[in-house]
Amino acid sequence: MPETDKVICITCPKGCRLDVTREGDTILKVDNCGCKRGEEYVKAELIDPRRMVATTVKIKGGVHPLLPVYTAKPFPKPRIRELLGALQQVELQTPVGMGDVVIKDALGTGIDILASREMQPAS
Amino acid sequence: MTQFFDVIIIGGGIVGSMMARYLSRYTLSILLIEKETDICMGATSGNSAFVHAGYDPVPGSLKAYTNVEGNALYEQLSEDLGFDFQRNGDYVVAIGQEDVPALERLMAQGKQNGVPGLEMISGTELLKREPLVNPEAVCAMWAPSGGTCDPFGANIAACENAIQNGVQVMLETEFLDFICEGSRIIGIRTNRGDFTCRWAVNAAGLYADEVMHKAGMRPEFKIQPRRGEYYVLDEAEIQLNPCFFPTPSAAGKGILVAGTVHGNVIIGPNAEVINDKEDRAVTSTGLQEVICGAKKIIPSLTLRPVISLFAGLRAYGNAPCETPGVDYGHDFIIEIPSKIQGLVNLGGIESPGLTAAPAIALRVIEKLKDAGEKLEEKKDWNPVRQRRPRFRHLSLDERAELIRKDERYGRVVCRCETVTEGEIVAEIHAPLPARTYDAIKRRTWLGTGRCLGGFDLPRVVDILARELGESPLEVSKKGPGSEFLAGTTKPGMFGGEG
Amino acid sequence: MAIKDIYDVVVIGAGPGGLAAAIAAKQNGARDVLIIERDLEPGGILLQCIHNGFGLEIFKQDLPGPSYAQKFINDALSCGVDLLLDTMVLDITPDRRIFTASRKGGIREIRAKALVLAMGCRERTRAQVRLPGTRPAGVYTAGTAQRWVNVEGYMPGKKFVILGSGDIGMIMARRLTFEGAKVERVLEVMPFLTGLTRNYVQCLLDYDIELQLQHTVKRIIGNKRVEAIEAVAVDEKWEPIPGSEEIIPCDTLLLSVGLIPENELSRKAGVALDGLTAGPFVDDRFETNVPGVFAAGNVVHVYDLVDWVTQAGLASGKAAALYAVEQEHKTQRKIPIRSGENVHHVVPQHICADSLKYADIKLQLRVKQPVEDPVWVEVRKGANLVARRAERYARPGEMITVTLPVKAYDEVEAAEELTVAIMKR
């Protein structure tokens, strides 16, 4: 039984409202695209949706108690909750440099978690 | 814990604090109790700040006498106690011919009450002096003795001066009942224990009726909170110095437009009798009433420059005027009843309460003398309270000097009002300590500017936590139950559970 | 580092606008440049914007805010810009004397041959949107909450309602959800989203947070702490529709109801402000009406992408350096740019008649009403078309740029004024 979904494409700021007709995981039709990137977006969204994730982790010895971190690449959406849970337990120590790898290969995805900024020991 | 005091004052608003200050002149041991986490959180915290000239109250009423007497005291008092007061004068404006008879009656009433300097001026003259006024103004009564003050400043200064002169103040201490021996009050019961006293002063504002009923006094007396809403408009957009009133009607003084000591413009209040003595919500209908009323006087007013809105509650009581021949059903109660000994009973102190407060205190002292109390003056009574430095008002050199003494005065925490860390710390450790955000706001005007605390709030929470030795999670806006923060972002931060 | 008494260029604010201005000033001949910043670290608001989305245009990278800031902080320091932190500017005079206060430095007077104002903006408050109800703890602007959550390590509440579909509100909706809080609802008084669609998808849809357009807060409930919000539907005139009220229990109300350029200091310096933007009138070199005083970034008008703030900062810094070094204020004829059909405002508000001789000029604008159809953004001198740009749509939440090209110089140079308007294609 074909189903239709409405999906907002976020490849560019226009945000076309796409009408997607699919049968299970197979995409039959994508209507309302402003350009061909819409179809690619929908395929990715339905099969393997990913998002950039930014959050904070605890850090000791710095001017603030938290260090902002982010995923080096878009992260699998279904595993974001798990990632956030893992990051709650992390506690770093200054000094940390911008771009330092805070967690390598997070949850086995091959995606590193990086420091968004440097933080030096507070004087 | 029982402690003995000569006098216990119930309530730390402007009335109770002025009472404490004037009584502190005598060799009496005095305790002031206040149920909230700070003084000045009741009616004194939400009003127009106006020091009325005294033409409004019915002649022969206590309101009339204490208004005019109190008004005259404000210059000296503000100098002695160190709070802002400006005698800018006020106009009562007649818009249209139909207002004129009422205005003329008001002027006659004012003269009867002894208000100095009242003068009727023409609409043309009014517009020459104040070009923003409604050009349909036919004439106006000019009352040069009207003024405006910082009500928080006055309340806090009076209380600090009292403390300076030996008065004890207990916050978060709520009156529960009187302790009597026959028909004599010998003490009060509070949530922090019992205290014995020879005199109890009922200065409980909105709750004065409930307090006096506990002494069996005036069971028919009832206080109904009258809520009034206000807008504050940005001084950068509109400047007005004096206060403008419409010609009063049966509903009351009406909606005023006034300059404040701060330089801003305040408009309001409307008047709505409500049931809940703690309901200080602003309503959209109330605010509509306020802007409509204000525009009658200053038609060019808009809501664009609004930087604050708030509501105040007035203790609207139903005590009849005791002067023979005066038909007025809402006068102040200022009495030492004979039915019960040891009670100074104050009730229904709504407008002009702020103006009248020092005069009420002086009247009470006279009544105490009449009741046989031997009041002996202290040799070392100091009527002067030294004001703490306010960075915003200092010259560059004075600022530099202040920072040299204490570098915390160099860090500006509230950008809009230029309030420094040094001042905040000084208020936290003052004789009457500020322990909540609102307490600091009342004392320094921090967070009342255009950004309404957006920049300073996290910084002030930090400073309060540090200076009080508590966690930022315990820092509150106005006492227990109003903490700002719910928890830490991650579990196990700052040595806690999260 | 000793602070001098006089600098070629002083920049107020070490956010992205100020950092770019300082760097450009140094690279364009200023012998000494100072940035004065009120916070303990440079970076401005970017320090608390830990989410990605910065640098897509100028670096072709998707960076979090602090990383974007760090790049410019490093550049500024390495090209020799002086940095004065934890210092508040108290006053500026029209002849560019700056008075500051700080714990370590006391009161200082610093003179600038050229000044760049880059103070950014503040958030619209509860009073400015006149929300009825009580005044409990728990009513915060989204930016204040963001500072607590991302920098200081505190959660301002557990259950949230957010007023405003601006970007900061939507970003915080996701952020709070990440940290275990519940966002009950986002209310928006307009019939359209005021932030970016990308944020709607990634912050609200992804987390099943309901957005109600044409809804607002009727009143705040709760004496000591927020206990609930009474939400209500509104019509096109923002009037509440009776019967549509809904009480939403929560403990925090976040306000994301607009940003206002922060121009307290600009006023003191005698800078004229545009009522439409609440920022200074500037020309194409970002100079204000006060000679030698320039302004760049959110202090001029609110930008949607930091990349354009950086561009403006670079342009203003360069102009400031040239002014400081050459010491001449070219009294040129200025051509006003008017806002035409469906245009809310344009920056710069006027251009120097000569400028187009040397380089293209970018005009940046926001529309009043959204148009979800292809449009022309047209610049006209009277009836004559001078320049135009095709856009696939026009939304108030997204700034539009239209360029006046060098080849239009002859046409523009003779103009009394130019008008920018939006036309359906």
Side-chain angles (χ1 to χ4, degrees):
Chain A
M1 230 353 275
E3 299 165 50
T4 41
D5 290 318
K6 280 203 177 300
V7 174
I8 302 179
C9 177
I10 53 171
T11 314
C12 85
K14 182 164 184 196
C16 298
R17 262 71 171 161
L18 308 175
D19 292 311
V20 182
T21 317
R22 61 185 176 90
E23 184 107 41
D25 274 346
T26 320
I27 298 167
L28 301 175
K29 203 158 55 114
V30 180
D31 288 316
N32 254 341
C33 297
C35 72
K36 61 178 184 296
R37 294 199 284 169
E39 269 202 54
E40 292 160 25
Y41 173 76
V42 167
K43 282 200 191 96
E45 261 305 281
L46 256 38
I47 299 166
D48 177 25
R50 291 181 174 241
R51 299 282 187 263
M52 291 294 281
V53 178
T55 183
T56 52
V57 296
K58 290 182 284 192
I59 186 165
K60 276 199 158 118
V63 63
H64 301 300
L66 295 175
L67 180 79
V69 298
Y70 67 109
T71 54
K73 294 203 197 55
F75 200 83
K77 190 172 154 197
R79 300 193 75 190
I80 291 178
R81 179 132 288 172
E82 209 188 319
L83 173 66
L84 293 172
L87 290 172
Q88 294 288 67
Q89 311 306 320
V90 169
E91 187 155 38
L92 302 176
Q93 177 71 49
T94 51
V96 172
M98 178 172 79
D100 279 4
V101 175
V102 167
I103 294 191
K104 189 136 191 67
D105 185 21
L107 305 184
T109 56
I111 299 169
D112 295 338
I113 312 299
L114 308 176
S116 312
R117 56 165 286 175
E118 69 171 43
M119 198 174 281
Q120 299 299 332
S123 36
Chain B
M1 172 188 89
T2 310
Q3 270 201 76
F4 177 79
F5 291 93
D6 291 314
V7 181
I8 296 181
I9 300 170
I10 303 163
I14 190 75
V15 173
S17 296
M18 283 291 174
M19 194 73 253
R21 187 265 177 168
Y22 278 98
L23 271 180
S24 72
R25 182 188 196 136
Y26 305 102
T27 56
L28 298 164
S29 58
I30 305 168
L31 169 68
L32 184 150
I33 64 166
E34 165 55 56
K35 71 172 166 36
E36 297 288 350
T37 197
D38 189 20
I39 59 166
C40 193
M41 284 179 69
T44 316
S45 73
N47 53 68
S48 57
F50 207 62
V51 178
H52 294 278
Y55 43 74
D56 267 306
V58 171
S61 66
L62 284 172
K63 281 184 182 175
Y65 293 133
T66 54
N67 186 156
V68 177
E69 285 165 20
N71 175 297
L73 293 170
Y74 259 79
E75 234 103 20
Q76 188 64 48
L77 204 52
S78 61
E79 262 179 58
D80 285 345
L81 294 180
F83 64 87
D84 292 331
F85 167 68
Q86 278 169 25
R87 211 178 276 286
N88 291 337
D90 63 270
Y91 294 98
V92 183
V93 183
I95 313 274
Q97 275 301 127
E98 62 278 13
D99 274 348
V100 176
L103 189 59
E104 287 172 343
R105 280 197 298 274
L106 190 69
M107 178 137 165
Q109 188 169 276
K111 291 197 167 142
Q112 214 185 333
N113 285 342
V115 177
L118 292 176
E119 202 191 314
M120 205 61 100
I121 64 171
S122 70
T124 336
E125 175 61 27
L126 176 64
L127 276 163
K128 210 166 33 169
R129 295 186 198 182
E130 302 290 340
L132 292 175
V133 175
N134 191 338
E136 292 180 28
V138 164
C139 59
M141 178 175 76
W142 164 240
S145 66
T148 180
C149 73
D150 171 2
F152 313 123
N155 197 153
I156 289 157
C159 202
E160 279 197 9
N161 189 224
I163 293 172
Q164 226 180 303
N165 286 298
V167 170
Q168 273 189 59
V169 174
M170 285 180 66
L171 302 170
E172 290 178 351
T173 306
E174 186 173 349
F175 166 86
L176 297 175
D177 208 343
F178 290 106
I179 303 168
C180 295
E181 229 170 49
S183 67
R184 170 173 290 280
I185 291 174
I186 58 160
I188 64 166
R189 179 152 289 147
T190 76
N191 64 335
R192 303 260 292 260
D194 295 347
F195 300 88
T196 52
C197 61
R198 294 189 300 106
W199 290 99
V201 179
N202 176 11
L206 290 159
Y207 296 90
D209 55 349
E210 295 171 42
V211 170
M212 71 178 78
H213 293 166
K214 293 270 187 194
M217 286 296 307
R218 299 190 182 242
E220 74 293 344
F221 177 68
K222 185 166 155 62
I223 287 180
Q224 282 213 277
R226 225 165 40 151
R227 184 171 59 193
E229 303 178 42
Y230 298 86
Y231 278 116
V232 178
L233 307 176
D234 194 340
E235 61 183 314
E237 310 258 349
I238 176 165
Q239 297 92 34
L240 281 173
N241 256 337
C243 180
F244 298 87
F245 290 95
T247 307
S249 66
K253 288 197 189 74
I255 290 162
L256 57 83
V257 179
T260 67
V261 288
H262 216 56
N264 289 321
V265 170
I266 189 169
I267 63 177
N270 66 332
E272 190 191 341
V273 177
I274 62 174
N275 287 318
D276 185 350
K277 286 181 176 176
E278 295 295 334
D279 183 359
R280 292 182 178 86
V282 290
T283 65
S284 40
T285 37
L287 296 170
Q288 259 311 108
E289 256 188 271
V290 164
I291 185 64
C292 282
K295 276 169 99 85
K296 289 199 184 120
I297 310 178
I298 312 279
S300 57
L301 276 180
T302 68
L303 292 177
R304 234 186 56 121
V306 167
I307 52 171
S308 177
L309 27 85
F310 67 93
L313 295 176
R314 294 96 109 194
Y316 179 57
N318 60 345
C321 176
E322 314 248 300
T323 309
V326 179
D327 179 21
Y328 180 56
H330 302 283
D331 203 4
F332 288 164
I333 297 171
I334 305 173
E335 66 183 0
I336 293 183
S338 43
K339 188 170 120 157
I340 182 160
Q341 287 83 54
L343 178 65
V344 174
N345 198 20
L346 308 171
I349 314 293
E350 47 161 357
S351 183
L354 174 63
T355 314
I360 294 173
L362 290 170
R363 278 191 171 239
V364 165
I365 287 170
E366 287 312 305
K367 284 186 189 286
L368 284 169
K369 288 182 186 160
D370 289 344
E373 185 68 27
K374 296 242 176 316
L375 294 175
E376 208 186 295
E377 285 187 25
K378 279 181 184 145
K379 285 198 221 357
D380 57 349
W381 185 63
N382 188 356
V384 173
R385 169 240 184 202
Q386 210 48 13
R387 188 178 215 170
R388 283 180 286 283
R390 298 221 298 204
F391 194 85
R392 155 195 177 96
H393 290 143
L394 299 178
S395 69
L396 273 176
D397 286 335
E398 289 169 330
R399 290 174 177 184
E401 185 54 42
L402 193 59
I403 300 171
R404 267 191 286 273
K405 287 206 194 105
D406 181 344
E407 67 166 42
R408 288 173 298 190
Y409 284 96
R411 178 174 287 153
V412 175
V413 172
C414 171
R415 198 260 157 284
C416 302
E417 300 296 315
T418 320
V419 179
T420 63
E421 185 175 344
E423 294 160 84
I424 298 169
V425 170
E427 295 304 331
I428 295 172
H429 298 293
L432 190 63
R435 298 173 312 165
T436 61
Y437 181 87
D438 279 2
I440 294 175
K441 187 172 169 178
R442 278 187 285 273
R443 288 153 172 74
T444 63
W445 289 91
L446 153 161
T448 60
R450 292 167 193 101
C451 82
L452 221 63
F455 175 64
D456 65 67
L457 179 54
R459 291 162 176 80
V460 176
V461 167
D462 250 1
I463 296 171
L464 273 167
R466 186 189 73 207
E467 296 295 319
L468 296 176
E470 53 186 36
S471 151
L473 300 177
E474 295 172 72
V475 174
S476 74
K477 183 175 196 290
K478 42 183 164 172
S482 69
E483 290 78 13
F484 288 108
L485 302 170
T488 55
T489 312
K490 311 280 171 191
M493 282 180 81
F494 310 115
E497 290 297 305
Chain C
M1 172 194 66
I3 300 294
K4 306 184 196 157
D5 289 329
I6 176 161
Y7 280 86
D8 271 353
V9 176
V10 173
V11 178
I12 303 180
L19 287 166
I23 293 164
K26 211 55 169 59
Q27 289 171 342
N28 282 280
R31 290 150 296 213
D32 36 45
V33 177
L34 172 71
I35 306 180
I36 306 176
E37 165 58 49
R38 68 183 177 182
D39 211 332
L40 296 166
E41 305 173 284
I45 207 72
L46 289 176
L47 291 179
Q48 63 185 62
C49 298
I50 66 164
H51 47 280
N52 293 78
F54 302 89
L56 289 167
E57 299 288 336
I58 64 175
F59 296 130
K60 304 286 181 250
Q61 288 184 283
D62 188 4
L63 297 171
S67 303
Y68 186 96
Q70 189 84 66
K71 280 181 183 287
F72 291 98
I73 294 167
N74 294 344
D75 283 351
L77 293 174
S78 62
C79 74
V81 169
D82 284 356
L83 194 48
L84 189 54
L85 298 169
D86 195 17
T87 302
M88 185 72 79
V89 175
L90 299 172
D91 200 356
I92 326 174
T93 62
D95 59 343
R96 283 170 266 107
R97 284 180 302 136
I98 300 147
F99 297 91
T100 67
S102 70
R103 281 178 68 141
K104 301 294 170 201
I107 301 289
R108 266 202 190 93
E109 177 185 338
I110 300 166
R111 280 170 298 140
K113 299 215 180 104
L115 178 60
V116 181
L117 304 170
M119 294 86 74
C121 55
R122 69 184 124 88
E123 298 180 276
R124 188 165 275 119
T125 67
R126 181 226 167 128
Q128 288 161 323
V129 292
R130 304 193 282 281
L131 287 183
T134 49
R135 302 201 297 169
V139 180
Y140 307 121
T141 53
T144 304
Q146 191 182 50
R147 173 137 186 136
W148 264 324
V149 174
N150 291 344
V151 176
E152 308 212 5
Y154 296 104
M155 291 296 280
K158 296 190 155 85
K159 248 173 155 211
F160 293 75
V161 169
I162 300 178
L163 178 62
S165 64
D167 290 318
I168 310 175
M170 292 197 283
I171 294 280
M172 279 313 288
R174 175 177 62 188
R175 191 77 196 95
L176 293 166
T177 308
F178 274 9
E179 298 296 350
K182 180 87 172 65
V183 179
E184 298 287 345
R185 203 74 55 88
V186 177
L187 305 169
E188 167 56 58
V189 74
M190 297 300 243
F192 49 81
L193 197 73
T194 54
L196 302 172
T197 308
R198 171 175 82 208
N199 287 331
Y200 172 59
V201 171
Q202 297 185 325
C203 301
L204 301 188
L205 286 182
D206 272 5
Y207 297 96
D208 291 319
I209 297 171
E210 188 185 349
L211 167 68
Q212 288 180 296
L213 295 176
Q214 290 194 279
H215 276 70
T216 189
V217 170
K218 187 167 182 212
R219 67 191 169 108
I220 298 170
I221 300 167
N223 237 327
K224 297 200 173 2
R225 175 84 201 194
V226 171
E227 286 163 28
I229 292 303
E230 186 173 20
V232 72
V234 297
D235 60 26
E236 337 65 59
K237 296 204 194 80
W238 293 10
E239 289 300 326
I241 297 172
S244 69
E245 292 85 359
E246 182 193 347
I247 306 263
I248 309 173
C250 60
D251 66 12
T252 317
L253 173 65
L254 284 198
L255 302 175
S256 176
V257 289
L259 299 173
I260 303 172
E262 180 59 83
N263 281 287
E264 311 259 316
L265 287 176
S266 317
R267 267 192 253 242
K268 291 188 178 183
V271 169
L273 300 180
D274 182 353
L276 286 174
T277 56
F281 285 101
V282 293
D283 66 17
D284 51 286
R285 295 140 53 250
F286 293 98
E287 189 171 22
T288 68
N289 63 308
V290 178
V293 177
F294 299 78
N298 276 356
V299 77
V300 174
H301 71 146
V302 178
Y303 284 77
D304 55 349
L305 293 183
V306 76
D307 307 60
W308 311 139
V309 167
T310 297
Q311 259 185 8
L314 293 170
S316 71
K318 174 174 175 182
L322 293 174
Y323 181 93
V325 168
E326 291 168 28
Q327 286 293 337
E328 48 172 297
H329 176 63
K330 302 189 175 94
T331 33
Q332 283 202 36
R333 191 171 74 84
K334 302 267 172 93
I335 303 166
I337 316 284
R338 306 267 175 237
S339 299
E341 178 67 33
N342 198 18
V343 173
H344 180 266
H345 70 268
V346 187
V347 166
Q349 293 94 336
H350 43 247
I351 60 176
C352 299
D354 248 16
S355 294
L356 266 186
K357 228 196 253 178
Y358 308 103
D360 294 346
I361 296 178
K362 285 192 177 30
L363 300 179
Q364 292 176 324
L365 61 112
R366 288 205 190 239
V367 297
K368 289 185 192 159
Q369 292 297 326
V371 183
E372 295 294 337
D373 292 307
V375 294
W376 286 117
V377 182
E378 298 187 337
V379 184
R380 285 182 183 270
K381 178 180 93 174
N384 296 355
L385 187 64
V386 172
R388 73 174 170 184
R389 183 191 164 82
E391 288 283 348
R392 291 174 296 158
Y393 58 84
R395 292 177 194 144
E398 296 170 40
M399 211 168 71
I400 294 173
T401 305
V402 60
T403 306
L404 287 177
V406 162
K407 69 174 194 270
Y409 172 71
D410 288 322
E411 178 92 57
V412 166
E413 196 266 336
E416 292 279 311
E417 62 174 39
L418 297 174
T419 306
V420 186
I422 306 292
M423 297 294 162
K424 276 218 176 129
R425 273 203 263 153

